[in-house]
Amino acid sequence: MKQEIHPDYHTIKVVMTDGTTFETRSTWGSEGDTLNLEIDPKSHPAWTGGTRNLVEGGQVARFKKRFGALSLKK
């Protein structure tokens, strides 16, 4: 294995959004740093089943706005 090409792997403290903490090993930061998470599995809608914030006016809404007055009546 080549020397001096691998990142420093050290212990950091991770603080979840609900305030719980745990220690893990990482290449992020330096020894003893604290990583404060903004989104984690306890609060992210993908894992909690919550709703997503969608941008209003998606493709269907834009289509209806543009062509809603047209109809195919005989």
Side-chain angles (χ1 to χ4, degrees), residues 33-58:
D33 280 352
T34 301
L35 175 64
N36 294 309
L37 298 179
E38 295 176 5
I39 296 177
D40 60 21
K42 293 181 181 179
S43 65
H44 195 280
W47 289 285
T48 61
T51 59
R52 293 176 23 193
N53 292 334
L54 297 176
V55 176
E56 291 190 26

Side-chain angles (χ1 to χ4, degrees), residues 10-65:
H10 48 269
T11 304
I12 64 167
K13 180 179 170 184
V14 178
V15 179
M16 307 277 273
T17 56
D18 64 353
T20 59
T21 62
F22 65 92
E23 287 189 358
T24 187
R25 292 176 45 91
S26 175
T27 58
W28 179 87
S30 59
E31 181 74 31
D33 280 352
T34 301
L35 175 64
N36 294 309
L37 298 179
E38 295 176 5
I39 296 177
D40 60 21
K42 293 181 181 179
S43 65
H44 195 280
W47 289 285
T48 61
T51 59
R52 293 176 23 193
N53 292 334
L54 297 176
V55 176
E56 291 190 26
Q59 289 183 346
V60 173
R62 286 194 311 259
F63 180 85
K64 287 181 180 179
K65 181 180 175 183

